[in-house]
Amino acid sequence: MTESSSPDTEALRPKLERAYDLADRQVRRTIAQHPDFFPIYTEHGKWHHGGELWTDWCGGFHAGMMWLLARHTGDPWWRQQAEHYSKLLEHRQHDRAVHDLGFIFLSTYLPWYRLTKDEALRQVLITAGRTLALRFNPHGRYLRSFVAPESLFIDIMMNVPIIFLAAAEAGDRALYDLAVAHCRTTERTLVRPDGSTAHEGIFDVETGEFLRESTHQGLRPDSAWTRGLAWSLYGFTKVHGFTGDPADLAVARRNAEYYLARAPRSLVPPWDFDVPDGPDRIDDTSAAAIAASGLWDLAAATRREDPEAADSYRAASLAILDSLCTDRYLAWNDPEWEGILKHGVYHFHKRLGVDESVMWGEFFFLEAVDKVLHAGHQPGPGRPSGPSPR
């Protein structure tokens, strides 16, 4: 894709502003209808239902959207809501049962800390990073998933930045080295030579030997689950902001090239690229939203060394947003729908949040919109302050 084939940023701006207005209305609605509730996915367009959670990992997305809205609108009410909902998550800095502490704290306590430089907020971020690091298996040199000690998820690439952040803030070289080791293990075992990714790797917990690829959410262990691919693209790009290591950027670029080569013209992919044509080949807008936000950052990260590639990634990010900002995908013409972005997929095999709104799709869509609208004004993906452990 070339810059000329994507929508111009200014031409896209009215759609993005309208999408932000929709987000404002829908998040306000959720707060009013379900106070102190952290949604994960809709059923028939409704956030509150009795469906299975599988794991509790999405609180940071709901609160994170409030931080985005607070900055975009300048409305003090949004700042109050963002602080309130973030405080409801503070206890999870000690949560050792999940691998999702980056999802929870990078979208909440990090923007709060950047705004205030409050030492108490900084300490929460450091503690969350240290807690996640307790999941490290020194034999296999990976952070284990919530599923089992032998399990490594590609999703953890989106969470390992909280460890890099904690290492930078605390000046802790050992913590930094642990995070780097996880990235290199993930690259070696879950990122394939063609740039596609496996969802899960299975290890011998005693010897650390990598045994096989596996999956919970992809079509097959050897297939290309698109949300996992987007997690890797975005995650390795963000990690590069901390390490400066060309290896991290190279992985993200391989992921991006694979995504762009296999995605349809709209750049909104099916939930797995290898699902055959038929009723099960449905879109996953959440994968597209993550990719749009990650590609925008990847363009900035590659601008100096490869401006042509950077233009391509930026154009792809804008093209994805142009596709998502349509009546097909946004709920702006459906007053009964409580989400923002339709046609997302949580867990196809468990039939959870299939063809629905999902909270990570909501957050990363709004984050991508925010990046474009406020281009040149966002903080970078690396550490906000503190001594470097490198």
Side-chain angles (χ1 to χ4, degrees), residues 84-101:
H84 171 72
Y85 276 82
S86 296
K87 287 177 182 175
L88 295 178
L89 298 168
E90 185 168 316
H91 69 283
R92 299 200 66 189
Q93 66 185 296
H94 305 291
D95 189 346
R96 297 183 61 178
V98 298
H99 60 244
D100 304 299
L101 297 184

Side-chain angles (χ1 to χ4, degrees), residues 199-219:
H199 179 197
E200 182 183 37
I202 303 298
F203 292 76
D204 184 309
V205 295
E206 298 299 329
T207 67
E209 179 187 1
F210 175 66
L211 301 177
R212 65 184 184 279
E213 294 180 354
S214 182
T215 193
H216 295 266
Q217 300 198 51
L219 180 67

Side-chain angles (χ1 to χ4, degrees), residues 111-175:
W112 195 359
Y113 172 55
R114 279 175 163 158
L115 191 63
T116 66
K117 302 303 181 186
D118 186 319
E119 177 62 20
L121 304 177
R122 178 174 172 269
Q123 289 302 321
V124 169
L125 290 164
I126 292 172
T127 299
R130 292 195 183 282
T131 299
L132 181 59
L134 296 173
R135 305 190 70 82
F136 190 70
N137 180 317
H139 302 293
R141 298 177 66 76
Y142 64 91
L143 295 159
R144 63 182 182 88
S145 82
F146 81 98
V147 172
E150 65 270 19
S151 167
L152 162 65
F153 274 17
I154 193 66
D155 316 39
I156 301 174
M157 281 307 304
M158 291 291 288
N159 291 282
V160 71
I162 193 73
I163 301 180
F164 281 108
L165 178 66
E169 289 297 317
D172 188 333
R173 180 57 193 246
L175 200 59

Side-chain angles (χ1 to χ4, degrees), residues 27 31 36 38 59-73 75-90 104-105 107-113 115-116 121 363:
V27 180
I31 291 171
D36 296 350
F38 290 94
F61 302 136
H62 189 42
M65 291 173 71
M66 298 173 202
W67 283 107
L68 291 172
L69 286 159
R71 189 183 70 152
H72 181 72
T73 66
D75 185 340
W77 184 84
W78 277 121
R79 171 73 181 273
Q80 293 167 4
Q81 298 304 311
E83 291 190 7
H84 171 72
Y85 276 82
S86 296
K87 287 177 182 175
L88 295 178
L89 298 168
E90 185 168 316
I104 293 168
F105 288 98
S107 55
T108 55
Y109 275 74
L110 181 54
W112 195 359
Y113 172 55
L115 191 63
T116 66
L121 304 177
F363 174 79

Side-chain angles (χ1 to χ4, degrees), residues 334-347:
D334 189 343
E336 299 302 314
W337 197 273
E338 295 179 354
I340 300 163
L341 190 62
K342 293 183 170 183
H343 303 301
V345 177
Y346 180 10
H347 199 306

Side-chain angles (χ1 to χ4, degrees), residues 141 179-189 236 239 243 245 247-248 251:
R141 298 177 66 76
V180 168
H182 172 84
C183 296
R184 297 285 71 80
T185 300
T186 301
E187 176 187 5
R188 176 175 59 84
T189 60
F236 274 101
V239 162
T243 67
D245 189 339
D248 295 316
V251 175

